[in-house]
Amino acid sequence: MGLAAKFVIPGVLFILTLVFGFWLSRSGKPYNGLLFNIHKLIALAAVIVAAIRTFNALKIVEAQPILIVLLIVIGLCAVALFVTGALMSAKKATGRAALTIHKIAPLLAVIAAIGTLFLLGGRA
Ligand code: HEM
């Protein structure tokens, strides 16, 4: 299986997470429990599948420092998404900060993921 093919499933899961995220946002508060759980569980599945595929890809390539930096950025984005998501759903007074981080982190993760695939490309 080529490198790009290995990331089709996590890619599709990520896009579904975005779709359910926007849907959840538009459905207003209190959050729709079904949409919230679908959003959260697909996000979890996307992170797990992407992590497994990344670890496997890393077994066959030499990890350059820039690659490690990009992977750390993606990991931090994932942590930020889960923390802000949990805070927003726990009805904590997060102000706009949590939602702002929750909107920027996916964008940053996508940029870092494109860079990662570019660096891995042709070598995995
Ligand atoms: C890969 C991980 C995730 C991604 C990419 C993601 C992405 C998004 C996006 C794009 C939105 C719509 C924001 C907007 O209106 O512009 C959203 C909303 C939301 N997400 Fe996530 N999310 C992720 C994980 C999570 C997790 C794990 C939770 C819960 C623990 C969560 C809870 C929420 C909540 C509560 C909203 C609604 C916010 C609001 O508008 O009030 N998300 N998410």
Side-chain angles (χ1 to χ4, degrees):
M1 189 164 35
L3 180 73
K6 291 197 181 101
F7 287 91
V8 168
I9 291 175
V12 169
L13 289 173
F14 183 77
I15 290 166
L16 283 175
T17 305
L18 294 182
V19 170
F20 278 96
F22 288 123
W23 192 0
L24 177 63
S25 257
R26 301 300 171 274
S27 74
K29 289 191 183 183
Y31 295 127
N32 176 317
L34 183 64
L35 290 179
F36 172 70
N37 282 305
I38 294 176
H39 177 63
K40 188 175 63 181
L41 293 176
I42 303 179
L44 187 63
V47 168
I48 291 172
V49 180
I52 292 172
R53 302 261 150 130
T54 305
F55 280 120
N56 287 336
L58 282 177
K59 283 183 201 154
I60 36 179
V61 296
E62 196 188 323
Q64 310 149 262
I66 177 80
L67 188 61
I68 305 292
V69 170
L70 289 174
L71 291 174
I72 290 173
V73 168
I74 297 172
L76 289 177
C77 285
V79 171
L81 281 161
F82 278 74
V83 170
T84 54
L87 285 175
M88 290 188 292
S89 68
K91 300 194 187 92
K92 292 247 179 344
T94 55
R96 308 234 20 111
L99 184 57
T100 305
I101 295 172
H102 206 85
K103 285 178 181 180
I104 294 170
L107 197 69
L108 192 61
V110 166
I111 295 169
I114 291 171
T116 303
L117 286 175
F118 192 74
L119 287 176
L120 288 175
R123 289 183 292 133

